[in-house]
DNA sequence: CAGCATCCGCTTTGATACTG
DNA sequence: CAGTATCAAAGCGGATGCTG
């Protein structure tokens, strides 16, 4: 059901986007043939993982969304991402990359170490599109798009930027790799994962209704 | 790395067999082309998931085993099995089945409700090969092969037999489907999962050194 | 026999063009 | 925007052959 080529990647795309249009999915899945996307969506619909929703008359676009059965795949997708993260280091530069792919793993990897402080916003500029971290109340929410008035901005190539965020690389060292940071250093420290955060078996089930959060890493096919 | 056809199934096979010979894998993966098995094993070795071990001179056979990185895939394989279990009900009878595929999920699904009682052995006769449940000290261990002197024997076609084991079907009702049980009914009750055992989010991390145990369900390609 | 490599017909995929 | 249609290339399943 989810073992065919592209299928789990389509699920991941829907997990981090929520309901999406056909062309959104196409953009998030660089390299997929359009007939395959159509075919996979049909199969996923038939097996009850995805539901297609013809939008209301004023809007002219159909939406694809995960059913509860589809959302139940989230922990699996997250674990696969975590398992595969070490392989990212060897991934060729030519691999496709979309910044929103970071949303799922970052949401689980980053923490809010000072939940009592007022919330802050950090903007990430990397890849094709900015990413916004909303930090506060002990949680970090990641969403695609630019922040309106960010408290800090971190920009640079994906790899070193990620290394800085996870604390594996100091800002000073990362500057040589093109990473720039504009803001209070304390804000970075607030969200960086502790040493356990990077360990293999860490799990931080916070709220009872917690969803949309992940460990680390992301993966993609050749191109 | 593990997204190609057959790859995760090879990993599952190694998870539940431990170190295995080429031909063991072939038997556990009905339908795989021999060139594909060879090719996948090579790729898995290259990516550090599997290690090949030329046996010591007296023995003439090579062994394939999972590296720690490969064993780290166990929770993912288990969760995929659990997620896919509901689809088993709709699986065509023509699907291939090997009884040892049940070992992983059964080990996690079944429980020992009376850990203080002396250990018992239940033999499962279904599919191509018997399966032995070793019950005792609060745990259920599943291994392929017949039991020497089983305290009970449950036999019949895979589907209804599984339904009886999980308590979804009464013995009386299952007899019509060809299920036979020879032994004390209390032994069955000792291992059957509680109502939470079948629920979506159940997790029973028992011993600290617990491994080789799983939730439920199993899946296979068409044939 | 275990552990592959080779060949062959068929299916699936990727790329592109086209359409309501 | 949301697909369908078409076609070449790659991957797969099955059979067979080879080698220690």
């Amino acid at each position: 059901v989810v073992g065919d080529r592209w299928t789990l990647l389509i699920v991941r795309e829907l997990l981090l986007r929520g309901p999406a249009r056909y062309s959104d999915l196409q953009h998030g899945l660089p390299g997929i043939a359009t007939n395959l996307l159509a075919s996979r969506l049909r199969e996923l619909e038939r097996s009850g993982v995805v539901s297609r929703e013809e939008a209301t008359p004023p809007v002219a676009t159909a939406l694809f969304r995960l059913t509860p059965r589809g959302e139940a795949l989230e922990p699996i997708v997250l674990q696969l991402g975590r398992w595969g993260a070490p392989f990212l280091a060897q991934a060729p530069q030519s691999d496709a990359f979309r910044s929103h792919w970071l949303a799922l793993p970052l949401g689980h990897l980053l923490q809010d170490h000072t939940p009592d402080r007022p919330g802050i916003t950090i903007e990430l500029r990397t890849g094709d599109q900015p990413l916004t971290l909303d930090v506060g109340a002990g949680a970090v929410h990641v969403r695609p798009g630019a922040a309106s008035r960010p408290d800090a901005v971190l920009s640079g190539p994906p790899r070193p930027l990620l290394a800085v965020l996870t604390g594996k690389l100091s800002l000073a060292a990362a500057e040589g790799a093109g990473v720039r940071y504009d803001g209070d250093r304390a804000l970075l420290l607030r969200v960086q994962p502790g040493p356990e955060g990077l360990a293999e078996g860490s799990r931080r089930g916070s709220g009872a209704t917690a969803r949309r959060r992940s460990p680390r890493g992301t993966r993609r096919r050749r191109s």
Side-chain angles (χ1 to χ4, degrees), chain A:
Chain A
V1 175
V2 293
D4 281 339
R5 219 124 110 168
W6 291 110
T7 321
L8 260 190
L9 292 170
I10 293 173
V11 169
R12 181 181 72 170
E13 206 59 26
L14 288 171
L15 275 173
L16 47 82
R17 280 183 193 270
R21 297 172 301 174
Y22 188 90
S23 41
D24 293 333
L25 294 176
Q26 237 178 344
H27 175 255
L29 300 164
I32 195 174
T34 169
N35 54 352
L36 276 193
L37 179 54
S39 158
R40 291 291 127 90
L41 284 171
R42 230 178 290 127
E43 295 160 15
L44 285 171
E45 199 184 355
R46 220 171 39 83
S47 52
V49 177
V50 160
S51 70
R52 177 185 319 238
E53 179 186 309
E54 297 297 335
T56 54
V59 190
T61 179
L63 284 183
F64 298 89
R65 68 174 72 227
L66 291 174
T67 63
R69 170 171 283 186
E71 292 188 347
L73 286 167
E74 190 184 22
I76 293 174
V77 171
L78 290 177
Q79 277 191 272
L80 275 170
R82 162 186 288 257
W83 183 86
F87 292 101
L88 280 181
Q90 320 160 24
Q93 291 289 355
S94 61
D95 274 10
F97 172 76
R98 296 288 181 273
S99 44
H100 72 271
W101 291 343
L102 295 177
L104 249 91
L106 277 187
H108 279 247
L109 179 63
L110 300 179
Q111 316 180 22
D112 179 7
H113 292 295
T114 54
D116 299 331
R117 298 262 186 91
I120 57 162
T121 299
I122 304 178
E123 186 175 312
L124 262 41
R125 292 182 189 156
T126 187
D128 59 319
Q129 188 192 191
L131 223 54
T132 298
L133 309 182
D134 288 313
V135 186
V140 177
H141 282 269
V142 185
R143 57 180 172 81
S148 53
R149 288 187 52 244
D151 300 291
V153 175
L154 184 66
S155 60
R159 213 80 66 82
L161 183 141
L162 204 52
V164 167
L165 261 183
T166 59
K168 293 205 159 183
L169 198 62
S170 74
L171 254 182
E175 276 190 357
V179 174
R180 290 296 123 91
Y181 181 66
D182 186 13
D184 188 347
R185 301 281 284 256
L187 300 186
L188 258 190
L189 289 172
R190 178 170 175 178
V191 299
Q192 280 170 335
E196 12 60 59
L198 293 168
E200 181 66 16
S202 85
R203 190 149 292 140
R204 296 176 295 109
S206 40
T209 57
R211 277 200 57 261
R212 186 69 19 105
R213 353 212 55 252
S214 141
R216 69 181 287 211
T218 226
R219 246 204 93 240
R220 268 311 332 289
R221 273 171 204 286
R222 233 165 288 126
S223 159

